[in-house]
Amino acid sequence: MFRLRLRGYLRAAAEAGLPPAAVRVWEQPGHSVADGCSAGRALLSLPGPERPAAVLASTDVLALGVLQAARELGLHVPRDLSVTGYDDIDESSRGLPPLTTVHQDLYQQGQDCARRLISPGSATTLLHPTRLIVRDSTAAPPGPP
């Protein structure tokens, strides 16, 4: 699942004209807020031009940890950093600031998984629709000085 999200992200970045070198992929073991905070501290402590202007986390939980790391480091989201998650969990709308996220119907995905467990003969890959939920954790990048 995460590999499919990464492929989609990299394809969208290429279609937007971003050179591959501009897209850093950071893999973080674990999926807790603490894990996201740890990755956020590492990324956001990079010197000047190496520090990202935006983070797209593979889950809202990790993105909430990145928001925490940004606060700890004195960064203002979204002025200094844009953060986006994935899943649209309830907590994402209560983040500080509320988290921009990619919504997917987790309930429907759970039903589909249960059906596959009950009837394992189906090998059909199901793709579920998504939509971007823009909240207060993202902004347009600053223009040239």
Side-chain angles (χ1 to χ4, degrees), residues 43-67:
L43 280 168
L44 302 176
S45 296
L46 291 171
E50 291 183 46
R51 190 178 84 202
V55 172
L56 171 58
S58 60
T59 68
D60 284 349
V61 173
L62 291 172
L64 291 169
V66 172
L67 289 177

Side-chain angles (χ1 to χ4, degrees), residues 3-14:
R3 294 286 167 208
L4 288 174
R5 289 180 187 181
L6 177 59
R7 254 190 285 165
Y9 169 66
L10 294 174
R11 185 178 63 240

